[in-house]
Amino acid sequence: MLRPRRSVLYVPGDNERALEKTQALPADAIIIDLEDSVAPSNKEQARVQATEAIRRGGFGSREIILRVNPIETPWGMADLHAALAAEPHAILVPKVSQSGDITGTAKVVKASGAPSHIRLWAMIETPMGIINAREIAACGPDPDNRLSCFVLGTNDLLKESRARASNNRFAVVPWLAMTLVAARAYGLDVIDGVYNDFKDDAGFRAECEHGRTLGMDGKTLIHPSQVDPCNEVFSPTEDEVSWAHKIIHAFEQPENARKGVLTVEGRMVERLHLVMAQRVAAIAKAINARSKTEEPWF
Ligand code: COA
Ligand code: MG
C-alpha cells in the first residue's frame, strides 16, 4: 500500500515532553532530531532519549525517522549505530551532497546486519546537494542503498546561498523543482522544507499549497499547530477523488478496453490520466485506512 507522507513533524530528540506529545498528533511521520535542533552539549543525552523512545514505541501507525548528525562530526557514527540498534522505520542522513554520502552510510547499515525494512532518507540542503541531486537520487534503484525519500532543508539552503525566502519563495523554487524531478526520475518521494513562522497560519497554508503545486508529497513541520492544515492541503480533495474514480470507471468499460483516449464529462482523458487517477485513488484509500488504525504499519 502507498505510504502517505503529507505531514512530517520534527521533534528535538532531547525534548522529552514534545516527544511524548507526538504520539497523539495526527502527523503521518515524525522525525526525531539529533542534529540541528540539539545543542552540542545535549547530543549524547538526546541520542539516549530518542533511541529509548523509539524502542518503547507507542507511535501507532506513524512512520518514525531518526535524523542523525553528519558522519564526519564527533557524534555521527555513534548516532548511526544507536539508530540501527533502535530500528526506526528510516534514518535521515543530513547534508547529503554527493552519492557517496548515501552509499557510504548504506555500507555501514549493511555491515551492522540491520533489518531490511530500515530505509535511508536524504536531506537535500547544501548547494552541492542541489547540483548533485540527480546522482544522489540515482542511488534509489539499488536496494542495497535503501534510499526512499528526499527531504528539502530550506533553512540551510537559504543560509548557504544568502538568498531570501520572501516573494513566494522566488529564489528557492529552482532548487525545489530540480530536487523534485531528480527524485521522481528514480521513483523517490520528496518532502518540502519547514515554515519557521509557526504562528502565521495563513502564510503556512499558502506555503503548503505552493509545495503541493510543485509536486511535493508533503511538508516538514516544526509545530503541532501545523499538522492539520498540512494534512488537509496534501490530501486529495473529494472532487479529485471522485474525478479519479470516474476516469477509472470509464476505462473499465469493455467498449473502452482498447482505447487510448476517451471523453469523460466533455474532457479528453488519456491512459496517462488513468495512471494519475489510480494514484489519487490509492493515496485516498491509504489516508482513509491510516486514519482508522493505530496499528504500526510494519
Ligand atoms: N513536536 C511535538 N510537540 C511540540 C513540538 C513538536 N515539534 N513543538 C512544540 N510542541 C508542544 C510543546 O511541548 C507544548 O506542549 P505543552 O503546551 O503541553 O507544554 C505545545 O506543543 C505548544 O508549544 P509552544 O509553546 O507553542 O512552542 P514552544 O515555544 O514550546 O516551542 C519550538 C517552539 C519552535 C522551539 C518547538 O516547536 C520546536 O522545537 N520545534 C521543532 C524544531 C526542530 O525540530 N527543528 C529541526 C528541524 S527544522
Ligand atoms: Mg539542516
Side-chain angles (χ1 to χ4, degrees):
M1 188 184 279
L2 277 175
R3 177 78 204 161
R5 290 179 175 138
R6 299 163 297 172
S7 47
V8 180
L9 176 66
Y10 282 106
V11 57
D14 58 350
N15 187 338
E16 197 81 67
R17 182 173 175 82
L19 253 174
E20 206 181 305
K21 290 204 89 158
T22 59
Q23 303 196 342
L25 295 170
D28 288 334
I30 310 290
I31 298 176
I32 306 178
D33 187 27
L34 303 180
E35 199 219 5
D36 283 346
S37 70
V38 176
S41 57
N42 276 11
K43 294 285 188 190
E44 270 85 18
Q45 183 206 336
R47 184 190 305 137
V48 171
Q49 284 183 1
T51 50
E52 275 177 5
I54 294 168
R55 276 203 199 84
R56 267 198 312 276
F59 295 98
S61 60
R62 293 161 196 81
E63 194 171 16
I64 301 300
I65 302 99
L66 186 63
R67 182 164 78 170
V68 295
N69 285 285
I71 225 143
E72 63 277 9
T73 64
W75 314 284
M77 204 42 110
D79 285 354
L80 186 54
H81 284 296
L84 289 166
E87 297 191 14
H89 296 112
I91 294 168
L92 177 54
V93 185
K95 302 184 173 65
V96 173
S97 294
Q98 53 205 348
S99 57
D101 295 337
I102 290 300
T103 53
T105 308
K107 280 194 187 118
V108 178
V109 176
K110 189 170 187 182
S112 77
S116 59
H117 61 75
I118 300 182
R119 305 280 95 203
L120 292 184
W121 288 20
M123 292 289 312
I124 304 296
E125 55 182 343
T126 62
M128 204 54 93
I130 300 290
I131 291 167
N132 291 333
R134 178 187 171 175
E135 70 154 76
I136 299 164
C139 293
D142 180 348
D144 272 352
N145 290 329
R146 299 165 181 248
L147 183 65
S148 64
C149 192
F150 275 175
V151 178
L152 269 307
T154 38
N155 279 333
D156 271 282
L157 281 165
L158 289 167
K159 167 180 163 266
E160 298 296 324
S161 64
R162 303 175 206 157
R164 291 196 296 202
S166 52
N167 297 338
N168 221 4
R169 298 200 288 179
F170 170 81
V172 182
V173 165
W175 312 328
L176 301 182
M178 265 180 78
T179 305
L180 191 120
V181 289
R184 296 294 188 236
Y186 294 96
L188 303 176
D189 277 357
V190 198
I191 316 295
D192 201 352
V194 299
Y195 189 75
N196 298 335
D197 190 356
F198 62 84
K199 297 209 165 122
D200 173 10
D201 297 341
F204 172 68
R205 188 176 273 273
E207 198 171 283
C208 286
E209 294 282 0
H210 189 244
R212 173 70 195 83
T213 301
L214 283 165
M216 298 288 163
D217 294 292
K219 190 164 178 67
T220 43
L221 312 176
I222 50 169
H223 194 272
S225 63
Q226 296 181 325
V227 177
D228 282 328
C230 181
N231 280 343
E232 212 181 297
V233 172
F234 284 96
S235 300
T237 63
E238 272 181 33
D239 283 353
E240 284 165 344
V241 176
S242 123
W243 176 240
H245 284 293
K246 279 180 192 160
I247 294 172
I248 293 167
H249 180 75
F251 274 106
E252 276 169 358
Q253 301 316 299
E255 67 273 22
N256 294 333
R258 297 167 70 87
K259 289 192 185 157
V261 60
L262 306 176
T263 302
V264 180
E265 294 186 353
R267 283 159 70 177
M268 180 191 77
V269 173
E270 295 176 308
R271 286 201 174 260
L272 69 92
H273 297 113
L274 174 62
V275 175
M276 290 162 74
Q278 285 163 335
R279 187 181 160 79
V280 169
I283 276 277
K285 192 172 165 198
I287 290 168
N288 201 22
R290 197 194 158 318
S291 63
K292 285 192 187 130
T293 180
E294 273 300 306
E295 289 294 307
W297 67 290
F298 63 69

